[in-house]
Amino acid sequence: MGTALEERRSVTIIGDDHFCSWLRPFSCMGTPIRHPVSGRIEGVLDLTVPHDLAHPLMPSLVEEAARAIEQRLLEQGAWRERAAYYRFLRSERPSWPPTGGSENPALGLDAAASTLGPEDRSALTQAAAELMAQGIPAEREVSLSRGRAAVLRCQPSALNANGNDAVVEVYLPSDGAPHGVSPPPGGTPLLAGDIGVSRLAVAAQRRLELLRSAGVKIGAALDVSGAAQELTDVSLAWFADSVVVDLFDTTENGDASQSDGAALRRVAHSSRCTPTPWPDVSIGEIVDHGPGAPEEAALGGTPVHENNHLALPLRAGQALLGVASFWREEPYAADDFTLAQELVSRTALRADNILHYAREHRLAQELQHRLVPPALPASSAVTTAYRYLRPEHKAGECWFDVIRLPGARIALAMGDVGSQRAHTAAAMGQLRAAVYTFATLDMPPDELLGRLSDFANRFDLTGATCLYLVYDPVAHRCAGARAGHPPPLLIGANATVTSADLPLSPALGVDGAPFEAREFYVPEASTLLLYTKGTLELYDLEDLSNLLAIRPVDPSPEQICTDILAAVPSPRHEGALLAARTQGLAENRAVEWEVASDPAEVSRLRAAIAATLTSWGLESLLSSTALIASELVTNAIRHAAGPIRARLVRDHVLTFEVWDASSTAPRLHRADLNDENGRGIFLVAQLSHRWGTRPTDRGKAIWAEQALPQPETETRSL
């Protein structure tokens, strides 16, 4: 019982949790009983049973019983008010017209003002309670709707020996009556009751209004210092004449768990006193309360209540954030002390939530920053530029990547996680890594999105979107597929904008139709524009064309991104732009041959390759490239059907590719000493930088890359 009274809340102590050894065979459930109007603790209800007979529903039983007692207290208070009203009606006062002896004081108001709306009735009742709480004869004018006004009169009653009753009568003028007109003698009884109860009711309502205001205002700014200032502003309404809040530096820096040895700084101050009861410290300055000060005791963990001065620690869990101090001329009662603790507790909780949000926000931003490619890969196929459109106080939720593929091809990928959850940045990293992995396996766009959808479904990333494109600069063709993502835009050299005709498939992880890929022609010097939802929602294709046409003809990717970003200075949603200017390989950098299914074709192909490498100045790669070509083409002739096509591409690496009509991919294995074949792919792997295969719509392609020789540097004799 003592614990419930001390902690002012329901308490359950079971068996060995008791401090006294003789109580350990018992389990006890206790809860305080509060006055239903004032909120003051009037007593405590305790239920104690032998520990082996305890039941899980006993705490609920104690709570329900305590609420029933509080309801009985409320009914007793209502009975006292009715008794006071009856005494008033039986009194000889000619100014009061007979009401028929109604048992409900509100009926007098109903009979005299049936046209009053709920807001007018509430305003009259509220004003009557405040007038009655004064306990003296008084009069007040109350503004009503439609420009009307009512006059309330309070008459303390002397009909009982204590003289604690009062009655409020109301005069309701006719519609259109001007303000300030004195009412005639006579009114309608509106409210009757005990003056002391009215005072408690008014005080309880003010406390509830203060807590409601604190719940709405404190923490709205998502800033710890702002929350502290909001606490001081809310408290100054009527609860205090001066309020200050001091926080540790570690709290302001976002680490509330390390307050030992940290400086205490003044972060908020509101006062209507001159001079203030606090030391003259400006906002942001270090505060030293000194030994023996109430604030020093509060920082030690003990709330202080000294007449008209309250000092309470701001504590969120185990973290001490700082201290809040309240002062007013009228001494604080015990209920005021409880109210201050509630205010400070709410403020500390909001501050702790703000700190958690700030830490997660910083972490998400840092993770996203690390997920952005530090430098887009250089490629002869495309020139790229990108922009992020990020609203303030938001972490990123979209990602992109540019991936080099064999044969001078380039892959462009963009996705949107579509949430602001704590693991958004991690989800971005998972999807981007998965796309990169599948892309290096040289999967077609539709198969890649299918694998990515399975990945998203497995790791709870359902609903994310993705667009994946593969551009071939030799064929000037782009193959792509999209999962719930907007289609790419194709910007011509004259700034005309068209939308690529890619079929829309469901978002990742969503059951639906299989993903569908499609190829389209990309003229040289065009720009592929990838974007996320919300980035270009304000523009249709004509508006975007007009926006880009303002600049000189043939804008660069950087200029395109800059123009679009300048037109959307304050984005409402997270977004990203990726512009890729396409360019085909020069004719002298890619050579292609049709190969007949005849072993004699191999020697002719080797001669053509030697001539090509000589013209490119790559004589050092003649022998290795000839051997790689011999093995790959021979395998195609022996094990696959025609037509067979070969291509040699010089980009940042030298790539030799062979197409055939077989879908069976070769695999690397070690041949035994007595085997007559099986060494071809092993030789290709040893001679090349890397090799691989990819499926095509007519079979497969196998490729091998070699690093280009580094240019020789000139040496000078010293």
Side-chain angles (χ1 to χ4, degrees), residues 491 495 497 543-552 555 560 563-564:
I491 304 174
V497 182
D543 291 338
L544 190 58
S545 297
N546 294 335
L547 174 67
L548 299 177
I550 298 175
R551 292 288 177 180
I560 290 174
D563 290 345
I564 295 176

Side-chain angles (χ1 to χ4, degrees), residues 70-318:
E70 292 172 353
Q71 181 63 30
R72 185 64 58 85
L73 291 175
L74 181 62
E75 293 171 356
Q76 291 176 356
W79 180 85
R80 286 195 299 270
E81 291 188 0
R82 288 197 299 271
Y85 178 59
Y86 294 148
R87 288 195 298 271
F88 169 76
L89 293 178
R90 289 193 295 268
S91 65
E92 296 181 359
R93 295 189 58 210
S95 62
W96 292 88
T99 61
S102 170
E103 294 185 359
N104 188 346
L107 289 180
L109 181 61
D110 291 338
S114 59
T115 61
L116 288 180
E119 294 183 359
D120 288 344
R121 294 170 180 268
S122 177
L124 288 173
T125 305
Q126 172 70 19
E130 295 176 355
L131 207 58
M132 185 184 295
Q134 297 177 11
I136 59 174
E139 185 175 298
R140 178 186 296 184
E141 184 178 281
V142 180
S143 297
L144 304 177
S145 61
R146 295 184 297 179
R148 298 178 299 168
V151 176
L152 299 178
R153 283 176 176 164
C154 178
Q155 294 284 348
S157 175
L159 297 177
N160 62 340
N162 296 327
N164 291 328
D165 296 334
V167 178
V168 177
E169 57 182 342
V170 58
Y171 167 72
L172 296 168
S174 59
D175 289 349
H179 286 259
V181 177
S182 299
T188 301
L190 172 61
L191 189 65
D194 186 276
I195 294 174
V197 172
S198 296
R199 289 173 178 168
L200 294 175
V202 171
Q205 184 175 11
R206 293 173 71 185
R207 286 193 291 269
L208 289 175
E209 290 178 351
L210 182 62
L211 290 176
R212 181 190 62 81
S213 178
V216 171
K217 296 180 180 179
I218 296 177
L222 290 179
D223 175 68
V224 176
S225 298
Q229 186 61 49
E230 289 157 355
L231 169 64
T232 64
D233 295 340
V234 167
S235 303
L236 212 63
W238 64 266
F239 183 72
D241 294 330
S242 187
V243 189
V244 294
V245 178
D246 304 324
L247 297 179
F248 289 108
D249 278 341
T250 51
T251 302
E252 285 286 274
N253 296 333
D255 186 8
S257 61
Q258 302 292 333
S259 59
D260 294 342
L264 195 68
R265 294 184 184 274
R266 178 70 41 85
V267 297
H269 181 198
S270 294
S271 180
R272 51 170 161 256
C273 303
T274 306
T276 63
W278 322 107
D280 187 13
V281 178
S282 301
I283 299 296
E285 291 186 2
I286 295 178
V287 182
D288 184 8
H289 291 288
E295 288 76 11
E296 195 69 21
L299 291 173
T302 304
V304 177
H305 177 193
E306 294 182 351
N307 294 326
N308 55 0
H309 185 186
L310 303 177
L312 300 102
L314 282 103
R315 183 179 294 278
Q318 300 299 319

Side-chain angles (χ1 to χ4, degrees), residues 160-519:
N160 62 340
N162 296 327
N164 291 328
D165 296 334
V167 178
V168 177
E169 57 182 342
V170 58
Y171 167 72
L172 296 168
S174 59
D175 289 349
H179 286 259
V181 177
S182 299
T188 301
L190 172 61
L191 189 65
D194 186 276
I195 294 174
V197 172
S198 296
R199 289 173 178 168
L200 294 175
V202 171
Q205 184 175 11
R206 293 173 71 185
R207 286 193 291 269
L208 289 175
E209 290 178 351
L210 182 62
L211 290 176
R212 181 190 62 81
S213 178
V216 171
K217 296 180 180 179
I218 296 177
L222 290 179
D223 175 68
V224 176
S225 298
Q229 186 61 49
E230 289 157 355
L231 169 64
T232 64
D233 295 340
V234 167
S235 303
L236 212 63
W238 64 266
F239 183 72
D241 294 330
S242 187
V243 189
V244 294
V245 178
D246 304 324
L247 297 179
F248 289 108
D249 278 341
T250 51
T251 302
E252 285 286 274
N253 296 333
D255 186 8
S257 61
Q258 302 292 333
S259 59
D260 294 342
L264 195 68
R265 294 184 184 274
R266 178 70 41 85
V267 297
H269 181 198
S270 294
S271 180
R272 51 170 161 256
C273 303
T274 306
T276 63
W278 322 107
D280 187 13
V281 178
S282 301
I283 299 296
E285 291 186 2
I286 295 178
V287 182
D288 184 8
H289 291 288
E295 288 76 11
E296 195 69 21
L299 291 173
T302 304
V304 177
H305 177 193
E306 294 182 351
N307 294 326
N308 55 0
H309 185 186
L310 303 177
L312 300 102
L314 282 103
R315 183 179 294 278
Q318 300 299 319
L320 181 63
L321 310 181
V323 61
S325 302
F326 304 82
W327 185 92
R328 73 181 183 192
E329 293 185 2
E330 179 186 353
Y332 286 105
D335 290 336
D336 295 327
F337 184 49
T338 302
L339 177 61
Q341 289 179 308
E342 178 69 19
L343 284 174
V344 171
S345 175
R346 292 190 180 196
T347 304
L349 180 60
R350 293 291 178 88
D352 190 53
N353 290 339
I354 291 171
L355 293 174
H356 278 296
Y357 172 80
R359 284 193 292 269
E360 291 187 0
H361 183 69
R362 286 196 302 269
L363 177 61
Q365 286 186 320
E366 182 178 351
L367 285 174
Q368 188 202 24
H369 178 72
R370 292 180 179 273
L371 289 173
V372 175
L376 298 181
S379 170
S380 56
V382 294
T383 303
T384 55
Y386 71 91
R387 294 290 189 277
Y388 268 115
L389 286 78
R390 180 182 303 158
E392 189 177 1
H393 301 305
K394 277 195 175 183
E397 58 187 44
C398 40
W399 57 272
F400 69 90
D401 208 348
V402 178
I403 307 167
R404 289 194 301 203
L405 299 178
R409 295 171 303 134
I410 201 78
L412 306 173
M414 179 171 285
D416 190 343
V417 178
S419 71
Q420 282 291 337
R421 295 173 292 179
H423 67 278
T424 297
M428 291 167 51
Q430 289 176 302
L431 288 176
R432 180 169 171 261
V435 168
Y436 182 84
T437 301
F438 297 146
T440 55
L441 296 176
D442 225 340
M443 293 182 179
D446 52 346
E447 183 180 347
L448 183 143
L449 290 187
R451 297 286 184 92
L452 192 64
S453 183
D454 294 339
F455 178 88
N457 199 10
R458 179 178 179 183
F459 290 96
D460 191 24
L461 302 175
T462 302
T465 69
C466 182
L467 170 65
Y468 183 75
L469 304 175
V470 176
Y471 171 65
D472 186 345
V474 179
H476 296 280
R477 309 269 316 165
C478 185
R482 59 190 180 114
H485 203 89
L489 300 180
L490 190 61
I491 304 174
N494 57 354
T496 57
V497 182
T498 57
S499 178
D501 185 19
L502 288 184
L504 176 62
S505 300
L508 299 176
V510 178
D511 294 334
F515 297 99
E516 182 180 353
R518 186 170 296 174
E519 280 193 4

Side-chain angles (χ1 to χ4, degrees), residues 614-664:
T614 301
S615 66
W616 287 349
L618 299 177
E619 292 85 351
S620 60
L621 297 179
L622 277 175
S623 59
S624 59
T625 306
L627 186 53
I628 290 173
S630 297
E631 295 296 338
L632 295 183
V633 173
T634 300
N635 279 346
I637 293 174
R638 286 183 178 179
H639 306 293
I644 300 173
R645 211 160 32 93
R647 185 169 72 178
L648 191 64
V649 179
R650 177 170 63 92
D651 190 30
H652 64 285
V653 293
L654 182 67
T655 306
F656 181 76
E657 299 174 287
V658 178
W659 285 264
D660 59 50
S662 172
S663 59
T664 303

